[in-house]
Amino acid sequence: MALDRNNNRNIVGRLARRGVRAGRRTSLLTTLTIALTAALVTAAILQLTGTVNSQKKLLERAQHVIYMNLDAAQVQELGADGRVSEALRYKSGGGVEENGVFVQPCYFEPGGAEMDTYKLAEGRAPAAMNEAAADKAMLRAYGLPEQVGTEITVHFLNSEPETFTVVGLTDLEAGGGKQSRYSLLLSEEYAENGPQLAGEPWMLMARMQGGANMQGPALEELVYRVGEEHGLKHQDVNPNNYYIDLRTIKANMVLGGVGFAALLAAVSLLVIYSVFYLSVGGRVRQFGQLRTIGMTQKQLRRMVKTEGWLLWALGAPAGCLIGTAAMLAFGPPNGWTPASGAVAVAAGLAACAAAVRLGIQKPAALAAAASPIEAARYQAFRPKGKGKKEKTRAALASKPLTPWGLARVSFARNLKKNLLTILSLAVGGTLFMTAAIYLEGWNLEEYSRQAEFEKGEYVVYFDYNQQNSLENGAAELQLKGLMGPEFQQALRQVPGVEAVTASHGVTAKLRWGDVDDRDVLMPIGPEAEPTLLKNLEDGTGAYAELERTGGLYVGMSGMWRELFGKAPQAGDEIEVTYYNGELRTVTLPVVGVGGNGVRDDDPSMSGLFISQGTAQKLFGDMDTTDSLTVTMAGHSHTAEDDANMQAFMSAYPQLRLSCFNEHMEASVSIYTTLRGTCMGLAGFIILFSMINLLNTLLSTLMTRRQELAMLAALGMTRRQQQAMLQWENLWMTVINLAATAALGTLSGWGLCRLMDRLGAHYITFSFPALWFAAYAVISLAAPALISALCLRSFTKESLTERLRAAED
């Protein structure tokens, strides 16, 4: 009688539940695999949504735009514009470097319904002329008590020292990170009448009506249009680009998310499929017995699928909870929301459900495919296919019955299972190797040397206070020749100094149409012509033409368009006002326009480039050096080198020294964070693969209990059995390591090449020998340990019991 005709419609469900309970080891490992899948998916989604949510929370009370250089009437008009939902005024004055920190006087109108300006940790906002709010770290730098009521005296440039009573305290370091620039928050009365702010123009922070729901480009267009209608220049409209970028859906972000999801789905499906395939493959005899007593193919498929869904019900919710807990503990701060949590859990459950559905489909079909008689006679390690049995016997007859020979035959006759396991392991190993190559190829020193430290370990420049206290700025210091040949010669005598390289540039005022700005006139020589031609967008990059016309080559046209909404073209004229002992104004033609900078010490720097002949006509014998790069012998940057340079520079109060070692500290912090993220993800995927390996080995050994018992009955010792199993594991491990090394190396090399093309030249390919060795040791040790423990467990039973034992 067929089971579907019994008066018990729940027989399939009961058999499925009994199958889950009976195969406890396999069920536990399969549940663990599903739980890890759910945890990985949930954590990945929470990480992505948490990052976005954290950024949104930082910006949800931030301005959409800052309108600059406003008079009182414009402030009032903009604030009354119906498209502006909220506007807050502020002013800032010239800062000063003092006691190792930069202090800038400013006034912020208190935050309103939609925007915040600053947050006080203690006290209140300043109200009187001589009241201020200051940061605790700034007071510490001044050597003052970090408390309300403290009096602080600041020596602003070109004015008498001013003393303020601190009535409020901020604490920027509490938000993370060390600061070097601080705002001295002053009162509205000081903004109107104080010597540092009274003559400064107003600025207006504004949020637009409906801006929170606009896409980035639409919001950007709106803020510029509002500014233009109120008579503002393009350069006086400063949109919050960080906010706009966050509101902009970019193709690369979408493709990156889709690619990551596809990779995650592929890994999850592969692992879950292999787990179910191995589990079902070990129970074919049981299925044959059920077919023999009347179970139909449909019922058998349903039973296997029900087992899969029972395991999903046990593993997926637990995995989602684990992933959620991990992200709550270690995820982005302020990134959690109930909605994102619900989405992540739903996605984790759905992803596991899809993986289980797809992963169980083929194994269930295989379970139901065999006829009752064939399934009842099935041996898990019996060769399949026409002639395979004879070939296996011939292979055994042609080889000595040693552990090595038996291991080779066993591996070959179960090739599909073994290759499936190897493929799962190789995916995790490839990702691990890719991450290891990326991190190993990251040259931390080269990363830190980008821009100003590319060719040296120290940079000498003019003191900020000195140049900003002079009417004509750094040009007056350049006239004194402070960084001229004599200083450079003395600098070369410092122990360890190998070379001193000068960069030249003179700050000038520019007028081009309605654009008024300040930029740097940079003399260059004929050796710069290849760079001029390479970056050319308009006009000519020929140095001879630049010399003949006495014109300008405009660098970084993209920056001009961003700041002013347009860029000069060849044939335009720019009015330049500069200082060479007296103020002079000349009109220079634009000869060429480039997309990037030209100066070797900072290729991304904007500027107006002139020939050496033009520089001689404009500045005469004036020393145009604006910075010096100091290169040490062997690019050394030890503490002793720092001390020698600081001692030398102490005799030149009008100059400042920037050290590579100080700059590198921030780079180490960035690299450490990146390293932890990459290796954490790779480690999780390797754990995922190792669980699959564990499941494969256990299910394989469980189905071979009778085979091992038979070999023992024929005289095979436990040591020989252990050797046979270890040789089998070695076959699998060696192939996995070879695949991991080949695919991982190729993937890592491709990533390094891609990063190099994107401009990250500090990442170079380097094979991570130590990382690979550690992975190899784990890959060799784990199977050996598992096999030894399983065999020990088997031998605790008597030989007769093992020979008579039924499959789990």
Coordinates of all heavy atoms in Angstrom, one line a residue, residues 29-91:
L29 N 25.5 20.7 11.6 CA 26.4 21.4 10.7 C 25.6 22.2 9.6 O 26.0 23.3 9.2 CB 27.4 20.5 10.1 CG 28.4 19.9 11.1 CD1 29.3 18.8 10.5 CD2 29.3 21.0 11.6
T30 N 24.6 21.5 9.1 CA 23.8 22.2 8.1 C 23.1 23.4 8.6 O 23.1 24.5 8.0 CB 22.7 21.2 7.5 OG1 23.4 20.1 7.0 CG2 22.0 21.9 6.3
T31 N 22.6 23.3 9.8 CA 21.9 24.5 10.5 C 23.0 25.6 10.7 O 22.7 26.8 10.6 CB 21.3 24.0 11.9 OG1 20.4 23.0 11.6 CG2 20.7 25.2 12.6
L32 N 24.2 25.2 11.1 CA 25.2 26.2 11.4 C 25.6 26.9 10.1 O 25.8 28.1 10.1 CB 26.5 25.5 12.0 CG 27.6 26.4 12.4 CD1 27.2 27.4 13.4 CD2 28.8 25.6 13.0
T33 N 25.6 26.1 9.0 CA 25.9 26.7 7.7 C 24.9 27.8 7.3 O 25.2 28.9 6.8 CB 26.0 25.7 6.6 OG1 27.0 24.7 6.9 CG2 26.4 26.3 5.2
I34 N 23.6 27.4 7.5 CA 22.5 28.3 7.2 C 22.6 29.5 8.1 O 22.3 30.7 7.6 CB 21.2 27.6 7.3 CG1 21.0 26.5 6.2 CG2 20.0 28.6 7.2 CD1 19.8 25.6 6.4
A35 N 22.9 29.3 9.4 CA 23.0 30.4 10.3 C 24.1 31.4 9.9 O 23.9 32.6 10.0 CB 23.2 29.9 11.7
L36 N 25.2 30.9 9.5 CA 26.3 31.7 9.1 C 25.9 32.5 7.8 O 26.3 33.7 7.7 CB 27.6 30.9 8.8 CG 28.3 30.4 10.0 CD1 29.4 29.5 9.6 CD2 28.9 31.6 10.8
T37 N 25.2 31.9 6.9 CA 24.8 32.6 5.7 C 23.9 33.7 6.1 O 24.0 34.9 5.6 CB 24.0 31.6 4.8 OG1 24.9 30.5 4.4 CG2 23.5 32.3 3.5
A38 N 22.9 33.5 7.0 CA 22.0 34.5 7.4 C 22.7 35.6 8.2 O 22.4 36.8 8.0 CB 20.9 33.9 8.3
A39 N 23.7 35.2 9.0 CA 24.4 36.2 9.7 C 25.2 37.1 8.8 O 25.3 38.3 9.0 CB 25.4 35.5 10.7
L40 N 25.9 36.5 7.8 CA 26.7 37.3 6.8 C 25.8 38.2 6.0 O 26.2 39.4 5.9 CB 27.4 36.3 5.9 CG 28.4 36.9 4.9 CD1 29.4 37.7 5.5 CD2 29.0 35.9 4.0
V41 N 24.7 37.8 5.5 CA 23.8 38.6 4.7 C 23.3 39.8 5.6 O 23.3 40.9 5.2 CB 22.7 37.8 4.1 CG1 21.6 38.7 3.5 CG2 23.2 36.8 3.1
T42 N 22.8 39.4 6.8 CA 22.2 40.4 7.7 C 23.3 41.5 8.1 O 23.0 42.7 8.0 CB 21.6 39.8 8.9 OG1 20.7 38.8 8.6 CG2 21.0 40.8 9.8
A43 N 24.5 41.0 8.4 CA 25.5 41.9 8.8 C 25.9 42.8 7.7 O 26.2 44.0 7.9 CB 26.7 41.1 9.4
A44 N 26.1 42.2 6.5 CA 26.5 43.0 5.3 C 25.5 44.1 5.0 O 25.8 45.3 4.8 CB 26.6 42.1 4.1
I45 N 24.2 43.8 5.1 CA 23.1 44.8 4.8 C 23.1 45.8 5.9 O 23.0 47.0 5.6 CB 21.8 44.1 4.6 CG1 21.8 43.2 3.4 CG2 20.7 45.1 4.6 CD1 20.5 42.4 3.1
L46 N 23.2 45.4 7.1 CA 23.2 46.4 8.2 C 24.5 47.3 8.2 O 24.4 48.5 8.5 CB 23.2 45.7 9.6 CG 21.8 45.1 10.0 CD1 22.0 44.4 11.3 CD2 20.8 46.3 10.2
Q47 N 25.6 46.8 7.7 CA 26.8 47.6 7.5 C 26.6 48.7 6.5 O 26.9 49.8 6.7 CB 28.0 46.7 7.2 CG 29.3 47.5 6.8 CD 29.9 48.2 8.0 OE1 29.7 47.7 9.2 NE2 30.6 49.3 7.8
L48 N 26.0 48.3 5.3 CA 25.7 49.2 4.3 C 24.7 50.2 4.7 O 24.9 51.5 4.6 CB 25.3 48.5 3.0 CG 26.3 47.6 2.4 CD1 25.7 46.8 1.2 CD2 27.5 48.4 1.8
T49 N 23.5 49.8 5.2 CA 22.5 50.7 5.6 C 22.9 51.5 6.8 O 22.5 52.7 6.9 CB 21.2 49.9 5.9 OG1 21.4 49.0 7.0 CG2 20.7 49.2 4.7
G50 N 23.7 50.9 7.7 CA 24.1 51.6 8.8 C 25.1 52.8 8.5 O 25.0 53.9 9.1
T51 N 25.9 52.5 7.5 CA 26.8 53.6 7.0 C 26.0 54.8 6.5 O 26.3 55.9 6.8 CB 27.8 53.1 6.0 OG1 28.6 52.0 6.6 CG2 28.8 54.2 5.5
V52 N 25.1 54.4 5.6 CA 24.2 55.4 5.0 C 23.4 56.2 6.1 O 23.3 57.4 6.1 CB 23.3 54.8 3.9 CG1 22.3 55.9 3.4 CG2 24.1 54.3 2.8
N53 N 22.8 55.4 7.0 CA 22.0 56.0 8.0 C 22.8 56.9 8.9 O 22.4 58.0 9.4 CB 21.3 55.0 8.9 CG 20.2 54.2 8.2 OD1 19.6 54.8 7.2 ND2 19.9 53.0 8.6
S54 N 24.0 56.5 9.2 CA 24.9 57.3 10.1 C 25.3 58.6 9.4 O 25.3 59.7 10.0 CB 26.2 56.5 10.4 OG 27.1 57.2 11.2
Q55 N 25.5 58.5 8.1 CA 25.8 59.8 7.4 C 24.6 60.6 7.3 O 24.7 61.9 7.4 CB 26.3 59.4 5.9 CG 27.6 58.7 5.9 CD 28.0 58.2 4.5 OE1 27.1 58.0 3.7 NE2 29.3 58.1 4.2
K56 N 23.4 60.0 7.1 CA 22.2 60.8 7.0 C 21.9 61.5 8.3 O 21.5 62.7 8.4 CB 21.0 59.9 6.6 CG 21.0 59.6 5.1 CD 19.8 58.7 4.8 CE 19.7 58.4 3.3 NZ 18.5 57.6 3.0
K57 N 22.2 60.8 9.5 CA 21.9 61.4 10.8 C 22.9 62.6 11.0 O 22.5 63.6 11.6 CB 22.1 60.4 11.9 CG 20.9 59.4 11.9 CD 21.0 58.5 13.1 CE 19.8 57.5 13.1 NZ 19.9 56.6 14.2
L58 N 24.1 62.5 10.5 CA 25.0 63.6 10.6 C 24.5 64.8 9.8 O 24.8 65.9 10.2 CB 26.4 63.2 10.2 CG 27.2 62.2 11.1 CD1 28.5 61.8 10.4 CD2 27.5 62.9 12.4
L59 N 23.8 64.5 8.7 CA 23.5 65.6 7.8 C 22.0 66.0 7.9 O 21.6 67.0 7.2 CB 23.8 65.2 6.4 CG 25.3 64.9 6.1 CD1 25.4 64.3 4.7 CD2 26.0 66.2 6.2
E60 N 21.2 65.3 8.7 CA 19.8 65.6 8.7 C 19.5 67.0 9.3 O 18.4 67.5 9.0 CB 19.0 64.5 9.4 CG 19.3 64.4 10.9 CD 18.6 63.3 11.5 OE1 17.9 62.5 10.8 OE2 18.6 63.1 12.8
R61 N 20.4 67.5 10.0 CA 20.3 68.9 10.6 C 21.4 69.8 10.1 O 21.7 70.8 10.7 CB 20.2 68.9 12.1 CG 18.9 68.2 12.6 CD 18.8 68.3 14.1 NE 18.8 69.7 14.6 CZ 17.7 70.5 14.6 NH1 16.5 70.0 14.1 NH2 17.7 71.7 15.0
A62 N 22.0 69.4 8.9 CA 23.0 70.2 8.3 C 22.4 71.1 7.2 O 21.3 70.9 6.7 CB 24.1 69.3 7.7
Q63 N 23.2 72.1 6.9 CA 22.8 73.1 5.8 C 22.8 72.4 4.5 O 23.6 71.5 4.2 CB 23.6 74.3 5.8 CG 25.0 74.2 5.2 CD 26.0 73.5 6.1 OE1 25.7 73.2 7.3 NE2 27.2 73.4 5.6
H64 N 22.0 72.9 3.6 CA 22.1 72.5 2.2 C 23.0 73.3 1.4 O 23.6 72.9 0.4 CB 20.7 72.5 1.5 CG 19.7 71.6 2.1 ND1 18.3 71.8 2.0 CD2 19.8 70.4 2.7 CE1 17.7 70.8 2.5 NE2 18.6 69.9 3.0
V65 N 23.2 74.6 1.9 CA 24.1 75.5 1.1 C 24.5 76.6 2.1 O 23.9 76.9 3.1 CB 23.3 76.1 -0.1 CG1 22.1 76.9 0.4 CG2 24.2 77.0 -0.9
I66 N 25.7 77.2 1.8 CA 26.1 78.4 2.4 C 26.2 79.5 1.4 O 26.9 79.4 0.4 CB 27.5 78.2 3.1 CG1 27.4 77.1 4.2 CG2 28.0 79.5 3.7 CD1 28.7 76.8 4.8
Y67 N 25.5 80.6 1.6 CA 25.6 81.8 0.8 C 26.6 82.7 1.4 O 26.4 83.1 2.6 CB 24.2 82.4 0.6 CG 23.2 81.6 -0.2 CD1 22.1 81.0 0.4 CD2 23.4 81.3 -1.5 CE1 21.2 80.2 -0.3 CE2 22.5 80.5 -2.2 CZ 21.4 80.0 -1.6 OH 20.6 79.2 -2.3
M68 N 27.6 83.2 0.7 CA 28.7 83.9 1.2 C 28.8 85.3 0.7 O 28.1 85.7 -0.3 CB 30.0 83.2 0.9 CG 30.0 81.7 1.4 SD 31.6 80.9 1.0 CE 31.6 80.9 -0.8
N69 N 29.6 86.1 1.5 CA 29.8 87.5 1.1 C 28.5 88.3 0.9 O 28.3 88.9 -0.1 CB 30.7 87.6 -0.2 CG 32.0 87.0 0.0 OD1 32.7 87.2 1.0 ND2 32.5 86.3 -1.0
L70 N 27.7 88.3 2.0 CA 26.4 89.0 1.9 C 26.4 90.2 2.8 O 27.1 90.3 3.8 CB 25.3 88.0 2.5 CG 25.2 86.6 1.9 CD1 24.2 85.8 2.6 CD2 24.9 86.7 0.4
D71 N 25.6 91.2 2.4 CA 25.4 92.3 3.2 C 24.1 92.1 4.0 O 23.4 91.1 3.8 CB 25.3 93.7 2.4 CG 24.3 93.6 1.3 OD1 23.2 93.0 1.5 OD2 24.5 94.2 0.3
A72 N 23.7 93.0 4.9 CA 22.6 92.8 5.8 C 21.3 92.7 4.9 O 20.4 91.9 5.3 CB 22.5 93.9 6.8
A73 N 21.2 93.5 3.9 CA 19.9 93.4 3.1 C 19.8 92.0 2.4 O 18.7 91.5 2.3 CB 20.0 94.5 2.0
Q74 N 20.9 91.5 1.8 CA 20.8 90.2 1.2 C 20.5 89.1 2.2 O 19.8 88.2 1.8 CB 22.2 89.9 0.5 CG 22.4 90.8 -0.8 CD 23.8 90.5 -1.3 OE1 24.8 90.6 -0.6 NE2 23.9 90.3 -2.7
V75 N 21.0 89.2 3.4 CA 20.7 88.2 4.4 C 19.2 88.2 4.7 O 18.6 87.1 4.7 CB 21.5 88.5 5.7 CG1 20.9 87.7 6.9 CG2 23.0 88.3 5.5
Q76 N 18.6 89.4 4.8 CA 17.2 89.5 5.0 C 16.4 89.0 3.9 O 15.4 88.2 4.0 CB 16.8 90.9 5.3 CG 15.4 91.1 5.8 CD 15.1 92.5 6.2 OE1 16.0 93.4 6.2 NE2 13.8 92.8 6.6
E77 N 16.8 89.3 2.6 CA 16.0 88.9 1.4 C 16.1 87.3 1.3 O 15.1 86.7 1.0 CB 16.6 89.5 0.2 CG 16.4 91.0 0.1 CD 17.1 91.7 -1.0 OE1 17.8 90.9 -1.7 OE2 17.1 92.9 -1.1
L78 N 17.3 86.8 1.5 CA 17.4 85.3 1.3 C 16.6 84.6 2.4 O 16.0 83.6 2.2 CB 18.9 84.9 1.4 CG 19.7 85.1 0.1 CD1 21.2 85.0 0.4 CD2 19.3 84.0 -0.9
G79 N 16.6 85.1 3.6 CA 15.9 84.5 4.7 C 14.4 84.5 4.5 O 13.7 83.7 4.9
A80 N 13.9 85.5 3.7 CA 12.5 85.7 3.5 C 12.1 84.9 2.2 O 10.9 84.9 1.9 CB 12.2 87.1 3.4
D81 N 13.0 84.4 1.4 CA 12.6 83.7 0.2 C 11.8 82.4 0.6 O 12.2 81.6 1.4 CB 13.9 83.3 -0.5 CG 13.7 82.8 -1.9 OD1 12.9 81.8 -2.1 OD2 14.2 83.3 -2.9
G82 N 10.7 82.2 -0.1 CA 9.8 81.1 0.3 C 10.4 79.8 0.0 O 10.0 78.7 0.5
R83 N 11.5 79.7 -0.8 CA 12.1 78.4 -1.1 C 13.1 78.0 -0.1 O 13.6 76.9 0.0 CB 12.8 78.5 -2.5 CG 11.9 78.6 -3.7 CD 12.6 79.0 -4.9 NE 13.1 80.4 -4.8 CZ 13.7 81.0 -5.8 NH1 13.8 80.4 -7.0 NH2 14.1 82.3 -5.7
V84 N 13.4 78.9 0.8 CA 14.3 78.7 2.0 C 13.5 78.4 3.2 O 12.7 79.2 3.7 CB 15.3 79.9 2.2 CG1 16.2 79.6 3.4 CG2 16.1 80.2 1.0
S85 N 13.6 77.2 3.7 CA 12.8 76.8 4.9 C 13.5 77.3 6.2 O 12.7 77.6 7.1 CB 12.7 75.3 5.0 OG 14.0 74.6 5.1
E86 N 14.8 77.4 6.2 CA 15.4 78.0 7.4 C 16.8 78.5 7.1 O 17.5 78.0 6.2 CB 15.6 76.9 8.5 CG 16.1 77.5 9.8 CD 16.1 76.5 11.0 OE1 17.0 75.6 11.0 OE2 15.2 76.6 11.8
A87 N 17.1 79.7 7.7 CA 18.4 80.3 7.4 C 19.0 80.8 8.7 O 18.4 81.4 9.5 CB 18.3 81.4 6.4
L88 N 20.3 80.5 8.9 CA 21.0 81.0 10.1 C 22.3 81.7 9.6 O 23.0 81.3 8.8 CB 21.5 79.7 10.9 CG 20.3 78.9 11.4 CD1 20.9 77.7 12.2 CD2 19.4 79.6 12.4
R89 N 22.5 82.9 10.3 CA 23.6 83.7 10.0 C 24.9 83.3 10.7 O 24.8 82.7 11.8 CB 23.4 85.2 10.4 CG 22.1 85.8 9.7 CD 21.9 87.2 10.4 NE 21.6 87.0 11.8 CZ 21.8 87.9 12.7 NH1 22.3 89.1 12.4 NH2 21.5 87.7 14.0
Y90 N 26.0 83.5 10.0 CA 27.3 83.4 10.8 C 28.4 84.2 10.1 O 28.3 84.6 8.9 CB 27.7 81.9 10.9 CG 28.5 81.3 9.7 CD1 29.9 81.3 9.8 CD2 27.8 80.8 8.6 CE1 30.6 80.7 8.7 CE2 28.5 80.2 7.6 CZ 29.9 80.1 7.7 OH 30.6 79.5 6.6
K91 N 29.4 84.5 10.9 CA 30.6 85.3 10.4 C 31.8 84.5 10.9 O 31.8 83.9 11.9 CB 30.6 86.7 11.0 CG 29.8 87.7 10.3 CD 30.0 89.1 10.9 CE 29.2 90.2 10.2 NZ 29.6 91.5 10.7

